[in-house]
Amino acid sequence: MHEMALAQGILDIALRTAAENGAVRVGRIKVLVGQMTQVEPEALKFGFEALAAETIAAGAELDLTAVPLVGRCDDCGQEFTIRGCLFLCPRCQSGEVKIVSGRELRVEYVEVE
Ligand SMILES: [Zn+2]
């Protein structure tokens, strides 16, 4: 399961942050989830809870923030939100579009006590 591996990665970061700060408990973990990752928030939370159960991150709150898929046109520089699978610039109709955000799954911060 895709989400289980991601949950493990998030847990690793949380535990490392806690260790670096001499913390005894992990409170809240803010995670940016790009739309393109197609992660199921509920599955990610469930996986995290299961993995964190025996660690100091047990009971930590996973705060997931969705990041929309944004592209930038290589030809005219226009930035726009990509909807569906239409990767075309709305200004000049160019197909030379690069993804700017929406692909990431990143831990933004970890609150430890
Ligand atoms: Zn354009």
Side-chain angles (χ1 to χ4, degrees):
M1 191 166 117
H2 182 52
E3 277 82 0
M4 211 65 184
L6 295 172
Q8 182 67 59
I10 293 169
L11 179 62
D12 289 345
I13 291 171
L15 293 178
R16 200 184 318 133
T17 305
E20 282 167 6
N21 291 280
V24 292
R25 209 176 75 83
V26 177
R28 203 157 71 98
I29 305 163
K30 183 165 183 182
V31 184
L32 299 179
V33 184
Q35 216 173 43
M36 215 175 164
T37 59
Q38 299 188 332
V39 164
E40 274 291 333
E42 288 312 311
L44 187 58
K45 283 184 180 179
F46 181 80
F48 180 82
E49 275 170 30
L51 293 169
E54 301 298 317
T55 73
I56 61 166
E61 189 198 335
L62 211 52
D63 181 3
L64 304 177
T65 302
V67 179
L69 188 55
V70 175
R72 183 173 40 227
C73 175
D74 253 4
D75 287 335
C76 74
Q78 174 86 1
E79 280 197 11
F80 55 97
T81 304
I82 297 169
R83 290 178 205 287
C85 50
L86 195 66
F87 285 62
L88 276 184
C89 174
R91 190 151 84 182
C92 70
Q93 311 303 317
S94 166
E96 297 298 316
V97 172
K98 297 264 159 51
I99 305 293
V100 177
S101 69
R103 264 196 308 217
E104 65 270 66
L105 188 124
R106 193 175 78 228
V107 173
E108 189 163 68
Y109 66 76
V110 181
E111 277 177 19
V112 295
E113 292 169 22

